């Protein structure tokens, strides 16, 4: 496995994309004739040990600082080691529009793996498949190659490009329950009959497996987000104050994205028995 910062530029008849071997991180994706759908900032910072902003970071094997016994814990690194690891590019299983990456427990220090919390060191093999075309499909498969079960959290933390967040709304979550992480004690709230709009900081974990639509009136398009193997969906935008405070974003760039993520976290964490596997996937497409 190489520790070089390799960026792969993918061009097929129907789309283009950029993917970093560091983090197995999709940086951008655009169907032919469209502006970018997967968003990254104007300046992308590539620093070993730090997560890349924008694109699609792989959150694995814990979300935020982890969650156990009904509370957020203090695992490190934040959002797990998946997004700050060099994944192995599998040339034999890859082709022009399909990239495969792999990561195993052998690449991770046992002191980090011990934070899984099952009383032993979990042994896993993760495969990440990226299909680039008129739609973008990303699939994270985690196999338990050890002798004891383990549980993990995961997310495909997708930044979607919008013309202006004030003109964007997420459709398909009407009536869904969600955890509002912007409020004290993370209460459960029920979405009304209206679409999700962005008038400030929004950071919510929705209990929804439905296909969603991100309507962007500024660019005159709708991004369709479908998923499998994920019991929840995170919807997020940092808002003005938090967005402008992000050191790896230029001022005002927070207005150009909405995060809609396939997620399995908190009480939706995935347990994998020895010899078993689980796949979490998300597919992005555009309709006019």
């Amino acid at each position: 496995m190489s520790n070089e910062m390799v960026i792969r530029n993918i061009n097929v008849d129907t789309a283009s994309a950029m993917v970093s071997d560091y983090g197995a991180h999709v940086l951008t994706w655009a169907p032919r004739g469209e502006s970018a759908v997967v968003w990254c900032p104007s300046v992308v910072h590539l620093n070993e040990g730090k997560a890349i902003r924008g694109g699609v970071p792989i959150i694995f094997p814990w979300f935020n600082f982890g969650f156990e016994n009904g509370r957020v814990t203090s695992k490190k690194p934040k959002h797990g080691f998946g997004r700050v690891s060099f994944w192995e590019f599998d040339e034999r299983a890859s082709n022009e529009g399909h990239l495969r990456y792999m990561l195993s427990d052998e690449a991770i220090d046992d002191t980090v793996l011990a934070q899984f919390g099952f009383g032993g060191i979990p042994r896993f093999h993760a495969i990440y498949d990226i299909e680039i075309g008129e739609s973008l499909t990303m699939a994270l498969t985690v196999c338990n190659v050890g002798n004891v079960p383990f549980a993990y959290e995961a997310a495909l933390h997708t930044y979607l490009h919008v013309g202006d967040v004030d003109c964007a709304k997420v459709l398909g979550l009407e009536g869904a329950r969600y955890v509002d992480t912007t409020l004290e004690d993370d209460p459960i709230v029920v979405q009304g009959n209206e679409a999700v709009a962005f008038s400030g900081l929004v950071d919510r974990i929705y209990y929804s497996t439905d296909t969603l639509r991100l309507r962007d009136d500024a660019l005159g398009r709708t991004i369709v987000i479908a998923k499998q193997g994920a019991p929840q969906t995170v919807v997020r935008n940092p808002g003005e104050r938090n967005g402008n405070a992000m050191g790896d974003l230029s001022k005002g760039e927070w207005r150009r994205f909405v995060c809609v993520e396939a997620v399995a976290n908190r009480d939706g964490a995935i347990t994998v028995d020895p010899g078993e596997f689980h796949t979490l996937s998300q597919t992005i497409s555009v309709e006019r």
Side-chain angles (χ1 to χ4, degrees), residues 150-197:
F150 62 78
Y152 68 93
E153 298 175 287
L156 300 178
H157 183 18
T158 309
Y159 288 71
L160 297 171
H161 176 215
V162 296
D164 189 327
V165 72
D166 286 346
C167 301
K169 59 185 66 175
V170 177
L171 308 172
L173 291 169
E174 295 80 4
R177 297 183 306 124
Y178 66 89
V179 178
D180 193 334
T181 66
T182 70
L183 301 177
E184 187 175 358
D185 297 326
D186 296 355
I188 297 287
V189 182
V190 176
Q191 179 74 24
N193 292 325
E194 70 282 354
V196 181

Side-chain angles (χ1 to χ4, degrees), residues 5-41:
M5 292 287 185
V6 175
I7 305 295
R8 301 181 188 274
N9 289 286
I10 311 300
N11 281 283
V12 295
D13 290 343
T14 54
S16 61
M18 295 175 61
V19 182
S20 166
D21 286 5
Y22 177 64
H25 193 126
V26 177
L27 296 172
T28 64
W29 167 73
R32 195 66 64 193
E34 287 282 346
S35 61
V37 175
V38 171
W39 177 91
C40 68

Side-chain angles (χ1 to χ4, degrees), residues 88-163:
E88 180 182 353
F89 179 64
D90 187 345
E91 291 192 32
R92 291 180 298 177
S94 302
N95 56 44
E96 186 179 41
H98 174 217
L99 282 67
R100 172 170 286 182
Y101 288 93
M102 299 180 294
L103 183 70
S104 73
D105 61 271
E106 295 175 354
I108 310 301
D109 190 277
D110 278 356
T111 59
V112 177
L113 294 174
Q115 297 177 93
F116 270 77
F118 266 57
I121 303 299
R123 300 304 176 192
F124 71 88
H125 181 70
I127 300 169
Y128 190 52
D129 287 300
I130 306 166
E131 293 281 352
I132 298 164
E134 286 185 336
S135 60
L136 171 70
T137 296
M138 302 159 290
L140 175 66
T141 300
V142 177
C143 311
N144 185 339
V145 296
N147 299 316
V148 295
F150 62 78
Y152 68 93
E153 298 175 287
L156 300 178
H157 183 18
T158 309
Y159 288 71
L160 297 171
H161 176 215
V162 296

